[in-house]
Amino acid sequence: MNQRARIVMTEDEITAFIAESRKLQLGTVNPDGTPHLVTMFYGLSGGRISFWTYGKAQKALNIQRDARVSCLIEAGDEYSDLRGVLVYGVARRIDDSEGILEVGMNVARRMAGMPDAEELLTEYVAHTGRKRVAFVVEPTRVISWDHRKLTIPV
């Protein structure tokens, strides 16, 4: 078995890793074709990565023009601890206020590390949500790695 095949995460491991993480690197395509990378807090909507942003943000404008995105979630400081999931997909825009509020609440709960803080977060999310749009990423390809699966021969 080659090294690449040894470090691939199972579906369950990918699901757990995405669920336990809070931030990702979002890649969109600028008008000139260069990558636009930003760190985003994210939520999960039906098991899919979701995020929100201001409607006039560069990432939102990029997605409006070209909905292809990449989402990198990674962890680990030492080579032997590196883990990550790279999701390529298409960002589906959510414009309705109820959908934006739902995504905003999912993101805010994870961002604040307070999964049951409805009362505290609702006012904030409702207020900032007026100028925001939300996106759900429909995955087209998923790549994963977990270097903790590597063993060093003795």
Side-chain angles (χ1 to χ4, degrees):
M1 179 184 295
N2 68 32
Q3 292 284 71
R4 176 73 190 116
R6 290 175 53 205
I7 63 173
V8 171
M9 291 183 191
T10 66
E11 287 297 318
D12 287 344
E13 290 170 333
I14 290 170
T15 299
F17 184 72
I18 291 173
E20 73 189 23
S21 300
R22 295 176 34 199
K23 295 183 296 183
L24 58 76
Q25 304 299 313
L26 174 68
T28 62
V29 182
N30 281 319
D32 66 359
T34 58
H36 177 73
L37 295 171
V38 293
T39 301
M40 301 283 299
F41 284 102
Y42 68 94
L44 295 172
S45 298
R48 292 169 298 176
I49 292 170
S50 59
F51 59 92
W52 70 338
T53 186
Y54 290 103
K56 294 183 180 183
Q58 186 63 52
K59 60 191 150 293
L61 298 175
N62 287 348
I63 292 169
Q64 183 176 328
R65 192 186 59 266
D66 183 342
R68 295 175 300 161
V69 297
S70 58
C71 302
L72 172 64
I73 304 165
E74 57 90 23
D77 291 321
E78 303 298 326
Y79 183 82
S80 60
D81 294 326
L82 294 178
R83 295 180 295 151
V85 173
L86 176 57
V87 177
Y88 291 102
V90 176
R92 181 175 48 83
R93 184 172 167 151
I94 298 171
D95 286 308
D96 67 281
S97 57
E98 186 176 304
I100 293 168
L101 182 63
E102 180 182 333
V103 170
M105 287 298 292
N106 289 337
V107 172
R109 283 185 204 107
R110 292 165 64 94
M111 188 172 88
M114 301 164 53
D116 300 318
E118 298 299 308
E119 290 180 37
L120 295 172
L121 297 175
T122 300
E123 185 178 339
Y124 162 76
V125 170
H127 177 72
T128 60
R130 296 178 305 187
K131 294 182 180 181
R132 292 187 184 237
V133 294
F135 297 92
V136 174
V137 178
E138 306 290 347
T140 56
R141 184 174 175 210
V142 177
I143 299 170
S144 67
W145 57 95
D146 184 346
H147 288 195
R148 299 174 308 173
K149 295 181 177 187
L150 294 173
T151 56
I152 300 172
V154 183

